Amino acid sequence: MAGTLAGWAAARLAGADRLRFAEAQAVPLLSFTPQAAAGAWISALLLRGAGPAAVAAAAAAALTAAAGPRAVPGRQPPAAGPVLRVVTANLLAGRASADAVTGLVRRTHADVLFVQELTSQAAGRLDRAGLGGLLPHRVTQPVLHGTGGSIYARYPLCGRAPAARSPAARCTARLELPSGQSVELACIHAAPPKPPWSPGATARWRCQLAALPAPGDGPCILAGDFNATLDHAQFRQLLRRGWADAASQAGHGLSPTWGPRPSRRPALLAIDHVLTDGRCAVLATVACRLTGTDHRALYAVLRLPALMPLSGSAGSSGTTRHAVTTGSRRRG
């Protein structure tokens, strides 16, 4: 037991899922690193013998050092722009309750809803439940069969071609706010690395995450089902391009959003995310249960950077630009 835990800690700290020959096994296993950290502490208390207990305690400390920071709120940049409330939800091939989704949007006063695994029948049920009255603007991924992604918004949306040719970016749009700001949005649903231990599935998952773009010049948000946790090196590499995980910034990075069955059983993995660029402040995040789906919806409250007048000639006084603010951001 102590040796297994020590090996797990070494694999997590070394980023073993980056190794092509080991990724098919490492990617699914490292998803459960927070659970392994808890198990290591229990083992350190229960194992007989000073040697095994010490090894388990060292593994527990290493795993806690890797996973623990996402449970501590991070320092936020001094954003002073408007507040934007967003929700992302995987509908489990359209089986999520339309009334539950619409009710969540209504209770949270969400400005933007990202949905994955949307079917045409589910879209009709959402309209009948009143979602269109709350979020009248929509951009939907065109699909002939199966499921797709969609972005619903309170304010006008302009559909855009993806900045990167990643199949994980199901649809992208520009949101036009009453303040005059625009926000780039992308609804994400990466292919899952399953069946477990499949090299082809894991390679497809890795390539889709690697193809996602870095933030642009203005405020940007990626939201959806990434099928990845902060214990995956590929996801951490995405964050290093300039993204911040909203739940981790709010101190809720260990809150799980997916479980194996669509029931009220405890969720296991935090694979649904809202990613923001480094100029946006995260005010709060909450994982919310939805009837009919194996995912929890993730609600995030963000504050955008302020608009500032362009410096220069008097003739440019009516033109604005996004203020670029800086701040120390912990990215898990």
Side-chain angles (χ1 to χ4, degrees):
M1 176 64 72
T4 298
L5 293 170
W8 196 308
R12 170 58 179 86
L13 296 180
D17 52 318
R18 295 177 299 176
L19 305 175
R20 302 295 173 84
F21 68 87
E23 65 178 4
Q25 294 76 32
V27 166
L29 285 176
L30 290 181
S31 302
F32 296 93
T33 292
Q35 290 88 337
W41 285 117
I42 295 172
S43 298
L45 295 174
L46 298 181
L47 285 174
R48 296 181 179 180
V55 171
L63 292 171
T64 301
R70 69 194 74 159
V72 180
R75 183 180 176 185
Q76 302 298 322
V83 170
L84 190 69
R85 296 172 175 85
V86 305
V87 172
T88 178
N90 184 311
L91 305 185
L92 187 60
R95 282 180 269 178
S97 165
D99 289 333
V101 174
T102 303
L104 178 62
V105 170
R106 182 178 292 110
R107 291 194 306 275
T108 59
H109 305 285
D111 301 304
V112 181
L113 170 66
F114 301 84
V115 294
Q116 305 86 51
E117 297 197 22
L118 178 71
T119 63
S120 57
Q121 295 83 1
R125 290 195 298 270
L126 289 171
D127 288 338
R128 291 190 292 273
L131 183 62
L134 300 171
L135 304 177
H137 305 279
R138 180 173 68 178
V139 171
T140 301
Q141 174 191 8
V143 289
L144 296 177
H145 306 285
T147 66
S150 186
I151 302 173
Y152 294 80
R154 187 179 306 276
Y155 307 114
L157 287 172
C158 177
R160 300 171 65 85
R165 298 297 179 182
S166 172
R170 298 307 176 99
C171 60
T172 58
R174 184 179 68 247
L175 177 70
E176 301 292 348
L177 297 175
S179 64
Q181 284 177 297
S182 62
V183 184
E184 299 294 331
L185 307 174
C187 181
I188 306 300
H189 191 192
K194 66 178 187 180
W197 330 124
S198 168
T202 307
R204 181 174 63 251
W205 167 86
R206 169 175 39 82
C207 291
Q208 289 191 7
L209 290 180
L212 289 173
D217 294 332
C220 307
I221 299 172
L222 304 184
D225 177 6
F226 289 74
N227 273 302
T229 76
L230 280 158
D231 293 300
H232 292 126
Q234 190 65 60
F235 188 72
R236 297 195 300 275
Q237 182 176 341
L238 175 63
L239 297 184
R240 285 193 290 270
R241 295 178 201 158
W243 297 105
D245 180 69
S248 293
Q249 290 297 315
H252 299 149
L254 292 176
S255 297
T257 63
W258 174 85
R261 294 186 181 182
S263 67
R264 297 184 65 86
R265 295 180 182 180
L268 296 176
L269 303 178
I271 62 175
D272 300 89
H273 303 275
V274 174
L275 303 188
T276 69
D277 69 85
R279 293 158 295 192
C280 300
V282 180
L283 305 183
T285 64
V286 181
C288 309
R289 284 195 173 108
L290 285 179
T291 305
T293 176
D294 53 355
H295 287 254
R296 294 183 180 181
L298 183 61
Y299 167 62
V301 184
L302 313 173
R303 185 175 292 280
L304 304 177
L307 281 171
M308 293 179 62
L310 281 173
S311 59
S313 63
S316 65
S317 60
T319 308
T320 58
R321 67 175 175 85
H322 291 284
V324 178
T325 59
T326 59
S328 174
R329 300 296 294 265
R330 176 181 48 78
R331 296 189 173 91

